[in-house]
Amino acid sequence: MTSALPSLAGHRITAVEPLEIRSRYPRPIGRNARLGAHGEGPAARAYMVRTDSGFTGWGMDEGPPGTPELLVGRPLEEVFNPGTGILDPLARPVDVALHDLAARILEVPVHAMIGGLGSTEVPCYSGAIYFDDLDPEDAPRGIEGVLAGCAADHAAGYRAFKLKIGRGNRWMETEEGFARDLAVVRAVRAAYPAARLLVDMNDGYDPARTLRFLDETADLDLYWIEEPFAEHAEGLRRVREHREAIRSQVLVADGEFDPDVEEVLALTREGLLDVLLMDVLSFGITAWRRCLPEVVAAGALASPHAWGHPLKSLYAAQLAAGLGGVEVVEGVPGTTDGVDTSAYRLQEGRILVPDLPGFGIAPPAV
Ligand SMILES: [Mg+2]
């Protein structure tokens, strides 16, 4: 693949500039099993990279702070290979920006540059359905609050929903929280009989409760359970045995929170995890390009975690279209101040990835 792509020779990096961006959710996002209110949209860091040949690329970064400005003066081909990604650890904070830059120079979309193995119509789900039944605290809306979020996201084009569950972990008495979890899932299924439904415990269950949940929801055609408990082989073996016993088709997704990638890959090879969720940014595009073929070889799927920022869903959609092995990506409803993402469309539950150079997203006007 590398040899088929034109070279990046002749371009030298002349600037690496930090950018401040801000995401906006369409409504305040509430609590999950582990964390309090998620607010109305966080700020984030991005970088713009420029070359002496007049090209620019830009993209977000969420990893630990680095010093990508030390790349100024370096030939681009020394720090980035279109066939594999970044070549120098210094470039990690500009992993997205360099993918954008290189694809713009080569005049191809990122998804084509990284393989073009998937469809450019990428199914996605709304990842914004939190514990809206519990808010506002002085007059909780109950299940209607959750259904209102689903209705808003359905109107925006989503056709699948991921429901946060695990209310008994912090916010309700354990059994009462479990009962509410079940009532919410049942109510959303009743309101959307054809929707793909996923649930995310954010490590708020234990293996025994996970088995009970699978029993109680066996008739609801759930697509996956995510992070039921901090991943460990013994618990996941119990879940697998139970799924086999009750002939459950529900997938188990994990690897989002502070993953030990070698360990989650080992769990995947053992058939204990079906979908791996490492973050599109903090794990990174280059790392996903290396790792995703291993996931597919293990007979599993990937769905790069995108929560937090609408732009991350678009990066995840590009990864899905480029690398394959992704059945659905996490949609983060909302906008990014000053950033035009209109080349992407959300239509009937699919993100339509544009045929534009790079990520096809203009940088924020500054
Ligand atoms: Mg999650």
Side-chain angles (χ1 to χ4, degrees):
M1 186 166 69
T2 308
S3 59
L5 288 163
S7 156
L8 293 176
H11 304 268
R12 190 175 292 272
I13 295 171
T14 52
V16 177
E17 299 158 4
L19 300 171
E20 270 281 316
I21 61 172
R22 175 158 217 104
S23 302
R24 307 276 175 192
Y25 303 140
R27 58 185 181 272
I29 301 296
R31 295 171 262 179
N32 66 19
R34 222 161 36 81
L35 300 170
H38 282 64
E40 304 194 40
R45 181 173 65 235
Y47 285 101
M48 168 88 75
V49 181
R50 301 179 191 276
T51 67
D52 61 355
S53 46
F55 286 95
T56 60
W58 82 285
M60 286 180 65
D61 167 46
E62 280 190 331
T67 51
E69 61 278 6
L70 296 179
L71 298 171
V72 171
R74 299 271 297 277
L76 182 57
E77 62 181 333
E78 249 181 56
V79 298
F80 190 85
N81 179 336
T84 56
I86 56 170
L87 300 170
D88 186 319
L90 272 181
R92 193 210 42 75
V94 286
D95 194 359
V96 178
L98 289 178
H99 275 87
D100 188 47
L101 173 66
R104 286 173 190 269
I105 290 172
L106 301 176
E107 298 182 293
V108 293
V110 168
H111 63 81
M113 183 177 76
I114 67 177
L117 296 175
S119 167
T120 54
E121 296 188 7
V122 183
C124 76
Y125 62 83
S126 167
I129 311 299
Y130 280 60
F131 294 172
D132 292 328
D133 51 315
L134 303 182
D135 287 318
E137 245 166 328
D138 54 351
R141 282 173 294 169
I143 290 174
E144 286 307 315
V146 179
L147 291 171
C150 293
D153 292 344
H154 190 276
Y158 291 96
R159 295 294 178 267
F161 307 103
K162 186 167 81 185
L163 311 176
K164 294 293 191 175
I165 61 172
R167 289 167 176 79
N169 191 48
R170 272 186 73 180
W171 311 110
M172 295 176 82
E173 184 277 319
T174 309
E175 275 304 309
E176 190 193 358
F178 184 63
R180 178 69 65 85
D181 287 348
L182 294 173
V184 164
V185 178
R186 207 160 274 287
V188 174
R189 171 50 83 214
Y192 300 93
R196 182 170 354 218
L197 291 189
L198 309 75
V199 298
D200 185 356
M201 288 83 156
N202 290 102
D203 291 338
Y205 277 18
D206 57 20
R209 192 166 301 280
T210 302
L211 269 45
R212 277 181 64 199
F213 179 83
L214 289 172
D215 287 336
E216 297 280 355
T217 58
D219 60 326
L220 298 182
D221 188 26
L222 300 184
Y223 178 67
W224 84 36
I225 59 171
E226 173 171 331
E227 292 196 306
F229 43 84
E231 56 266 43
H232 57 86
E234 192 196 320
L236 291 169
R237 279 188 203 111
R238 285 180 62 191
V239 171
R240 182 180 63 180
E241 283 162 19
H242 194 70
R243 281 191 291 162
E244 285 168 0
I246 65 171
R247 299 180 191 279
S248 169
Q249 301 294 311
V250 182
L251 304 176
V252 177
D254 216 314
E256 166 191 335
F257 182 72
D258 195 19
D260 176 333
V261 173
E262 281 315 308
E263 190 195 328
V264 295
L265 279 173
L267 295 171
T268 304
R269 287 186 207 101
E270 200 188 324
L272 300 179
L273 295 179
D274 306 301
V275 189
L276 294 193
L277 305 173
M278 287 81 80
D279 190 88
V280 68
L281 291 180
S282 64
F283 188 56
I285 293 181
T286 297
W288 265 120
R289 294 178 71 178
R290 197 168 49 232
C291 177
L292 214 147
E294 291 185 60
V295 175
V296 171
L301 297 166
S303 183
H305 176 258
W307 180 256
H309 298 276
L311 287 181
K312 291 176 67 175
S313 297
L314 308 185
Y315 300 149
Q318 290 270 359
L319 271 185
L323 301 177
V326 179
E327 276 192 358
V328 64
V329 302
E330 179 170 31
V332 179
T335 56
T336 311
D337 289 359
V339 176
D340 180 2
T341 59
S342 59
Y344 291 78
R345 280 183 301 138
L346 176 61
Q347 193 174 296
E348 289 293 322
R350 290 168 191 272
I351 296 174
L352 310 186
V353 179
D355 187 24
L356 291 173
F359 285 102
I361 307 169
V366 281

